[in-house]
Amino acid sequence: MSIKERKTAEGVKGFALCFILLYMAFSRVFLGGHLGYQMLFALMGYETFRRYIRDKTYPGPFLVEKVRAYWPELFAMVAIVTAIYALFFYADMPLVRGQALWSLLFANNIFQSLAGHPLSIEQPSPFGHLWFVSLLMQCYLIFTLAIAGKKTRQKIISVAFFGGVISLISALIMGIFGGLDLAEARIFYSPESRLFSFFILFPAVLYELMGKGRGKVANRDMAMLGIMIVFVILLLFMAEAGPAYFGGLFLTSLLLNFFILFLFRDGNAFESVFQFPLFTFIGERAYSIYLYSMPTFFFTKALAERLQLAGGLWIPLAFILLLIVAQGSYYVFQVKGLSNKWVYAMLATLFGGLMIMTYATQGPEVMKRETPTKPVVKTVKPKEDEREQKKASLTERFEPSNELAAAIEQVNAQKPYYKLTNEDLGKLQNQKGLLLGDGSAQSAREAYLRLMPNLQVIGSENLNPSWYVRRIKEYTDDGPIILQIGNDGALTFDAVDEIVKTAEGRPLFLFNVVADPSYEDKNNDILQRVADKYANVALIDWYKDAKNQSDFYDDEGHMKDPAKRLMSHMLGHCLLYNMPEAVVKPDDGDKAKHAKTEENLAAKENDDVPDVGDSN
């Protein structure tokens, strides 16, 4: 490439990376920010095949060159981030060690597929984003195998044809996934759309560089402008469900590839746009910035939670820290070209030692922390005393702490229809279940565990549907499933329905929400419809009891302690007195056994027994 073309290519990388970073930070705003990956794959594919046609390219040296360009900085990043993670989150090392190891083999995406890790920007791993580097190297490997042999005109045509075939297969897979609406298959590291983006331009590049087609495209700048308009629209309004999602990926990949093809022709209006200093600055450091993007966001957010920083204040701090760290890495590895063997030896010793330690001391899953038990001295009691003890009720045996007793009395007085007795509290001490949710679940976690210590509570902001599906599938203990979703953003009926179906007929509770007015009513309507659809689902009407309580939320919308107490109290009461019955799995073919019929719904409306959360 000429200097001018190289500068434009750096600008394209910077432009695409900007949207990827914005997606990591504001996924609810830039719904299609991950389409920046499509642009990067299109650019990489174009550069690779164009270089093969114009220059002498040998398979072995080409692949070695790519490994040398990517691996040293990747290795340093993985070693350093693993050490920091082990320092602060050693108990959770089993979550990330596999991703770290496989990343060094450029197989992070393969590991995530085999291990069933749903990729999301909220995934509790600073290595989740390395699927991109792994898949890019796999594309280079496929290309290397394709160009093996003597380079001739016929060979070039064959490689271009091979790229077209790979693209068609990739498009076919996308069509199957989209047509069958396989929501669980919609994961960022799936190769179907990425291979399409990388290889689809091979035939077009060959057609152009052989002197064909250059004069047949009229109004090229207008076409490029139209592609950019479509791209920006999809960035903000990318569909998240089924066929529309895959249709968006296919359309974006196709359009961006033609945009890249037009961009590197002489004399177009977009050269100056991509040579803008900000884009070229980011583009030159794109690899370093991308490597440290997820770790920086991960650790900054964790630090903000510990320091209780307000709102999204951690986001600008994360961007500043990211630029500083990435600049340091860029200077060391790409400007100076670090080659000191002692440095690599120390990093290898550090990383290897941590891996040995975690595999030797920790199991494949996250270690559960168990409270230490006091030694019990067994004494012989008269049989009459044993019979009396068996007759003793849970009320006599369980004595709540003063703090818990005061909280229970307060809620009992305010909401008598959710009254809990000491006997109820004793039962809740052994109540098992899985509560998954967003920011509200995370905020109320302490209140839940104070009342129900055996309940598994996992909450975080902006988790995607595939995360909930995976967690429910992994849950094997007895007890119901509780979903507290829709507080942080808009829901879709298909996403909630897919999550609920994963429970396979187990008892399940849904909390409705008090949230942003722009999506509050819509979310509550979706949750109500899903609850009405399944016999094993019950709705906890949080909206009815909390909407008009002025002391439940602060000015920023965060729950106060009274709200958390009532929320945990409501859940405890529903677990004891409003537990829905388990039904057969939805795939048994007998829909009558697990769907709520119109007669059942009508009977429920006329029933004198109040529904879950009904105060009347």
Side-chain angles (χ1 to χ4, degrees):
M1 280 189 170
S2 64
I3 296 177
K4 183 179 179 181
E5 289 177 333
R6 189 176 297 109
K7 189 175 181 180
T8 302
E10 298 294 349
V12 173
K13 293 177 184 177
F15 178 80
L17 186 59
C18 284
F19 288 106
I20 294 172
L21 295 177
L22 289 173
Y23 177 71
M24 290 182 180
F26 308 102
S27 60
R28 293 290 178 179
V29 178
F30 296 91
L31 298 176
H34 57 84
L35 294 177
Y37 289 114
Q38 309 298 104
M39 179 173 281
L40 289 178
F41 275 107
L43 176 64
M44 301 300 183
Y46 175 83
E47 289 180 339
T48 300
F49 191 61
R50 188 184 186 191
R51 172 185 169 183
Y52 173 68
I53 294 177
R54 290 186 169 181
D55 304 327
K56 291 183 178 180
T57 305
Y58 300 100
F62 171 80
L63 188 61
V64 171
E65 174 191 334
K66 293 300 180 183
V67 172
R68 286 180 175 177
Y70 288 98
W71 196 84
E73 193 170 0
L74 171 67
F75 171 65
M77 171 265 178
V78 170
I80 293 171
V81 172
T82 301
I84 297 175
Y85 192 94
L87 183 63
F88 294 101
F89 307 101
Y90 182 76
D92 295 334
M93 278 292 287
L95 281 174
V96 302
R97 64 193 182 193
Q99 289 190 22
L101 283 170
W102 284 61
S103 295
L104 298 180
L105 301 174
F106 296 115
N108 178 282
N109 62 319
I110 297 176
F111 173 79
Q112 294 199 58
S113 298
L114 295 177
H117 288 199
L119 180 69
S120 99
I121 58 175
E122 295 84 13
Q123 181 183 352
S125 167
F127 304 114
H129 66 310
L130 296 182
W131 67 267
F132 169 73
V133 181
S134 298
L135 189 50
L136 180 61
M137 286 301 301
Q138 291 160 26
C139 288
Y140 286 139
L141 176 60
I142 294 173
F143 175 76
T144 300
L145 297 175
I147 65 174
K150 185 178 180 180
K151 179 180 174 182
T152 62
R153 181 183 179 88
Q154 184 61 41
K155 180 66 175 180
I156 294 174
I157 296 174
S158 299
V159 173
F161 178 78
F162 172 79
V165 171
I166 290 291
S167 300
L168 289 176
I169 294 174
S170 176
L172 179 62
I173 296 175
M174 277 198 291
I176 293 174
F177 280 169
L180 297 180
D181 196 13
L182 301 178
E184 291 183 55
R186 181 166 54 85
I187 45 183
F188 294 151
Y189 48 73
S190 288
E192 64 273 355
S193 64
R194 316 306 174 182
L195 292 177
F196 182 84
S197 297
F198 189 88
F199 288 102
I200 186 60
L201 210 55
F202 281 23
V205 172
L206 176 66
Y207 187 69
E208 180 193 22
L209 293 182
M210 286 188 170
K212 307 291 185 180
R214 179 174 289 272
K216 295 184 179 180
V217 180
N219 300 322
R220 186 174 56 204
D221 289 345
M222 291 300 297
M224 295 175 72
L225 177 61
I227 292 173
M228 273 294 101
I229 291 174
V230 173
F231 180 65
V232 172
I233 292 174
L234 290 174
L235 283 173
L236 298 174
F237 305 103
M238 179 70 176
E240 297 182 327
Y245 176 87
F246 287 99
L249 283 181
F250 178 84
L251 176 64
T252 306
S253 300
L254 194 61
L255 292 178
L256 288 178
N257 272 276
F258 282 106
F259 183 88
I260 294 297
L261 183 66
F262 297 155
L263 179 64
F264 288 96
R265 291 179 178 177
D266 295 332
N268 66 78
F270 280 85
E271 284 183 349
S272 58
V273 174
F274 290 109
Q275 291 176 13
F276 184 67
L278 175 62
F279 293 148
T280 56
F281 175 85
I282 296 175
E284 290 173 356
R285 297 155 179 79
Y287 185 57
S288 302
I289 292 174
Y290 185 77
L291 282 183
Y292 287 94
S293 58
M294 189 67 80
T296 303
F297 284 121
F298 177 88
F299 290 123
T300 307
K301 184 177 181 181
L303 178 62
E305 290 177 351
R306 291 193 178 187
L307 298 179
Q308 297 182 343
L309 295 181
L313 182 61
W314 65 273
I315 295 178
L317 295 177
F319 274 111
I320 295 172
L321 181 60
L322 173 59
L323 289 177
I324 295 173
V325 174
Q327 176 62 30
S329 180
Y330 169 77
Y331 179 79
V332 171
F333 288 94
Q334 298 185 41
V335 176
K336 291 298 183 180
L338 180 65
S339 59
N340 192 317
K341 295 181 179 179
W342 287 106
V343 175
Y344 289 109
M346 288 189 292
L347 291 174
T349 302
L350 175 64
F351 180 74
L354 289 173
M355 289 297 105
I356 293 173
M357 185 183 301
T358 180
Y359 276 104
T361 62
Q362 296 176 300
E365 300 296 334
V366 179
M367 296 174 65
K368 296 182 179 180
R369 298 178 178 85
E370 298 181 358
T371 54
T373 55
K374 297 180 180 180
V376 178
V377 179
K378 187 175 182 179
T379 57
V380 179
K381 295 183 179 180
K383 292 184 178 180
E384 293 183 0
D385 291 345
E386 291 180 359
R387 285 193 291 268
E388 291 296 325
Q389 186 175 1
K390 290 180 181 179
K391 292 180 181 179
S393 66
L394 285 170
T395 304
E396 296 171 311
R397 280 184 278 167
F398 178 75
E399 295 183 1
S401 64
N402 293 334
E403 181 183 3
L404 179 60
I408 294 300
E409 287 183 13
Q410 184 178 7
V411 177
N412 284 345
Q414 294 174 349
K415 307 287 182 180
Y417 42 88
Y418 289 126
K419 183 177 181 180
L420 292 177
T421 65
N422 271 16
E423 183 175 354
D424 295 332
L425 297 181
K427 294 177 181 178
L428 291 175
Q429 293 297 300
N430 299 317
Q431 177 67 54
K432 293 182 178 180
L434 175 66
L435 191 152
L436 303 174
D438 47 26
S440 293
Q442 184 181 24
S443 176
R445 185 176 188 274
E446 185 177 347
Y448 285 134
L449 295 180
R450 187 183 298 119
L451 190 62
M452 296 158 282
N454 287 320
L455 190 68
Q456 297 183 37
V457 182
I458 308 174
S460 183
E461 296 180 358
N462 301 329
L463 295 173
N464 66 353
S466 62
W467 182 90
Y468 291 94
V469 169
R470 185 63 56 190
R471 286 291 186 177
I472 293 175
K473 285 185 176 181
E474 293 174 349
Y475 181 65
T476 57
D477 293 342
D478 295 329
I481 297 168
I482 304 101
L483 294 178
Q484 193 167 357
I485 55 179
N487 295 279
D488 299 335
L491 299 173
T492 64
F493 180 87
D494 290 342
V496 179
D497 187 67
E498 185 69 22
I499 296 170
V500 170
K501 284 193 294 187
T502 309
E504 298 183 332
R506 284 180 289 183
L508 189 146
F509 289 94
L510 292 172
F511 271 93
N512 61 13
V513 302
V514 174
D516 190 306
S518 63
Y519 52 78
E520 181 183 81
D521 291 339
K522 176 186 175 183
N523 286 1
N524 285 335
D525 178 67
I526 290 172
L527 294 168
Q528 183 66 61
R529 286 161 55 199
V530 172
D532 290 342
K533 181 178 178 181
Y534 296 98
N536 65 306
V537 179
L539 186 73
I540 300 178
D541 199 352
W542 172 249
Y543 174 87
K544 184 174 184 179
D545 289 285
K547 177 62 177 177
N548 297 318
Q549 297 291 334
S550 58
D551 62 334
F552 273 18
Y553 295 90
D554 60 22
D555 295 336
E556 296 180 358
H558 299 143
M559 281 196 300
K560 296 182 179 179
D561 288 338
K564 298 174 186 177
R565 287 196 295 266
L566 177 59
M567 184 173 284
S568 62
H569 202 103
M570 290 174 65
L571 176 59
H573 187 275
C574 293
L575 289 172
L576 294 177
Y577 297 106
N578 298 95
M579 180 77 74
E581 293 183 2
V583 297
V584 292
K585 294 183 179 181
D587 60 355
D588 65 346
D590 192 354
K591 296 182 179 179
K593 293 183 180 180
H594 61 80
K596 293 183 177 179
T597 62
E598 295 296 330
E599 292 78 12
N600 289 340
L601 292 175
K604 182 179 178 181
E605 291 176 358
N606 298 323
D607 200 339
D608 293 333
V609 179
D611 193 5
V612 179
D614 193 353
S615 59
N616 297 321

